[in-house]
Amino acid sequence: MTEELYHFTLLDPDEAELLLPMLQPVCAANPNDYDAQCRLADCLLAQGDVAGATAIYERVRNAAPDIVHAHAALLYIMVKDNPAVRAAIDLPLRLRTIHGRQMLVWYAFPDTNAELAQFPYYNRSMGKLAQLVKTKYPDLTILDVGANLGQSIAEVYAYSPTPCLSVECGPQNYALCRYNVKRISADNEAVHALVGPEGLYGTFEYAKDFELSGAKKPEWGFSTPVSAGAEGAVPTVSLNTIVARYPRWANSKLVKIDAEGWDWQIIQDCKNFWSAARPLVYFEHNFEYVKDRQAGHDQSLAAVQTLLDCGYTHFLVQDGRGHMIVQVNADHIARFHEINLHLYMLRDVHKGTHYFDVTAVHAEDVDLVQGIYQVSLSPELRQIRRPA
């Protein structure tokens, strides 16, 4: 697969008019010259022939899926009527195969395959959870809050194809996420929203920038709370509002939350949803953005208490690489106090350790707990008997 990077830029109509008569005979004589075919499609798009351009881009993508330009152009067509998102896709793009699915990503996106080779349990939990939950709930649907580029949905489909609603706040991430999840399956949907208690505001920021061709481009992004009048302030939308707009997902039995510091607020805000739908809640227990340790500690425990109040009885805790640490099924608040202190100590000693992943299980799904625990272990470790 090519590692060449592409920007997609719409041609000027006058330029397209000059290029068309030169490109048409070349493309007719060389149907496998995919770069020329894409350039011809660029000209058609610039002149307003969206259908003709789309047909060529689709043909190139199907015949030569390593032509990143065809993917980028189709992405542009998908978001061309959304100016805020359209402006955000001026990125250098490349294709990566993630969990067997070819996905369009921005250039600094980490190599998931290399990470999986080093950490074989990393980025597999969602897929395994979906596969297990679907044995009990065959009509399973999944909510993915903080979907990034849609890589978790690729993971799910590698294990058990399931309709997913992906929610992402970053305009660049959302544009790619929507494109990727719809390519995985037409059953999937994507929503551009910052999830949180309604009445709050956040702004999207980038944690790191890298120079490429004289322009700064993002590595990854997150949203931080701001006041209503702040520059770039975006109002939060509750998960209850989103599922009201997308009722197919109103009874989702698996919810993933990876909202870069908003997770506990989202959990506390969704008490009605947890009580009604009672999904497994797979969330990031993340102290990376915590400035006041006591406040972060208190907020995390309040989120756990919210789930307890909604009938959740079991919590399975994994480290950030997918390794199971502990089940918590009694003295929950005291145990999470100890888990938080351990995570803070890890953060102080190992600067890259900021979070654990937690799966919360409702009382009505206690029959799934041992299955969740077992699928997180290697076959050899599963043979070690649990003490009576």
Side-chain angles (χ1 to χ4, degrees):
M1 183 184 300
T2 180
E3 281 295 303
E4 188 173 358
L5 307 176
Y6 289 84
H7 298 258
F8 178 76
T9 304
L10 189 63
L11 287 175
D12 179 89
D14 292 335
E15 183 183 4
E17 187 175 358
L18 291 173
L19 286 173
L20 265 174
M22 293 183 283
L23 283 169
Q24 286 170 329
V26 171
C27 290
N30 301 282
N32 296 328
D33 185 343
Y34 299 118
D35 288 310
Q37 297 288 339
C38 281
R39 201 61 173 161
L40 175 61
D42 293 348
C43 293
L44 295 176
L45 185 60
Q47 294 197 328
D49 185 358
V50 176
T54 303
I56 295 175
Y57 292 138
E58 288 281 10
R59 188 164 64 247
V60 171
R61 188 184 70 182
N62 293 332
D66 58 337
I67 300 295
V68 185
H69 183 75
H71 292 258
L74 284 166
L75 168 62
Y76 175 86
I77 290 173
M78 181 174 281
V79 301
K80 70 183 179 64
D81 296 324
N82 187 333
V85 176
R86 185 182 67 218
I89 67 166
D90 182 22
L91 291 168
L93 303 172
R94 62 161 45 114
L95 287 165
R96 281 251 166 94
T97 300
I98 300 173
H99 294 288
R101 302 279 176 167
Q102 196 173 67
M103 305 184 76
L104 193 62
V105 304
W106 25 266
Y107 81 98
F109 193 77
D111 186 347
T112 303
N113 296 319
E115 292 176 329
L116 287 170
Q118 186 176 4
F119 302 102
Y121 291 87
Y122 182 56
N123 281 340
R124 297 186 191 275
S125 297
M126 267 289 286
K128 291 178 179 179
L129 277 173
Q131 187 177 45
L132 182 64
V133 176
K134 201 166 183 176
T135 62
K136 183 174 180 179
Y137 301 104
D139 295 329
L140 177 68
T141 58
I142 295 174
L143 280 166
D144 183 4
V145 181
N148 202 306
L149 308 186
Q151 64 270 32
S152 292
I153 307 311
E155 178 186 336
V156 166
Y157 273 74
Y159 284 86
S160 185
T162 303
C164 298
L165 178 63
S166 298
V167 187
E168 175 56 38
C169 67
Q172 292 168 327
N173 289 353
Y174 166 73
L176 292 172
C177 177
R178 181 186 175 198
Y179 178 75
N180 287 328
V181 301
K182 296 296 285 185
R183 279 204 67 214
I184 290 171
S185 172
D187 285 337
N188 296 325
E189 294 290 348
V191 181
H192 186 206
L194 173 59
V195 179
E198 292 190 3
L200 299 181
Y201 291 81
T203 183
F204 195 74
E205 301 178 16
Y206 295 112
K208 297 179 183 177
D209 282 330
F210 290 89
E211 294 286 345
L212 185 73
S213 303
K216 283 191 171 183
K217 299 300 175 185
E219 183 196 20
W220 57 276
F222 62 97
S223 180
T224 55
V226 295
S227 61
E231 183 179 356
V234 177
T236 55
V237 180
S238 74
L239 191 58
N240 293 323
T241 296
I242 290 173
V243 296
R245 294 175 184 169
Y246 294 87
R248 183 181 185 184
W249 283 271
N251 295 303
S252 294
K253 299 301 289 186
L254 177 57
V255 176
K256 184 209 106 183
I257 307 175
D258 182 359
E260 305 297 350
W262 293 78
D263 304 61
W264 302 319
Q265 289 174 293
I266 293 169
I267 288 171
Q268 291 175 73
D269 185 55
C270 291
K271 194 168 185 176
N272 292 340
F273 182 75
W274 308 140
S275 297
R278 301 179 293 281
L280 275 77
V281 186
Y282 176 65
F283 65 94
E284 193 173 79
H285 199 64
N286 188 348
F287 288 91
E288 183 169 2
Y289 305 103
V290 169
K291 296 181 174 63
D292 182 329
R293 289 194 166 189
Q294 185 63 56
H297 179 70
D298 292 344
Q299 191 176 59
S300 72
L301 296 185
V304 171
Q305 187 61 56
T306 296
L307 291 168
L308 290 171
D309 294 343
C310 294
Y312 287 78
T313 58
H314 288 67
F315 297 77
L316 296 98
V317 183
Q318 296 169 281
D319 67 17
R321 296 301 185 186
H323 307 120
M324 185 62 70
I325 300 173
V326 66
Q327 291 186 50
V328 179
N329 56 19
D331 300 321
H332 302 83
I333 299 301
R335 297 294 300 280
F336 269 95
H337 167 80
E338 296 165 358
I339 288 167
N340 288 356
L341 295 185
H342 179 62
L343 189 50
Y344 274 136
M345 285 189 286
L346 286 177
R347 180 178 173 181
D348 290 342
V349 176
H350 303 288
K351 302 302 183 183
T353 303
H354 301 290
Y355 72 92
F356 292 154
D357 290 317
V358 180
T359 304
V361 183
H362 194 273
E364 71 177 20
D365 288 322
V366 169
D367 55 309
L368 296 177
V369 169
Q370 285 311 307
I372 296 169
Y373 189 84
Q374 290 294 314
V375 297
S376 70
L377 302 175
S378 66
E380 295 79 10
L381 291 178
R382 292 176 201 168
Q383 304 308 311
I384 299 177
R385 292 189 298 275
R386 178 183 290 275

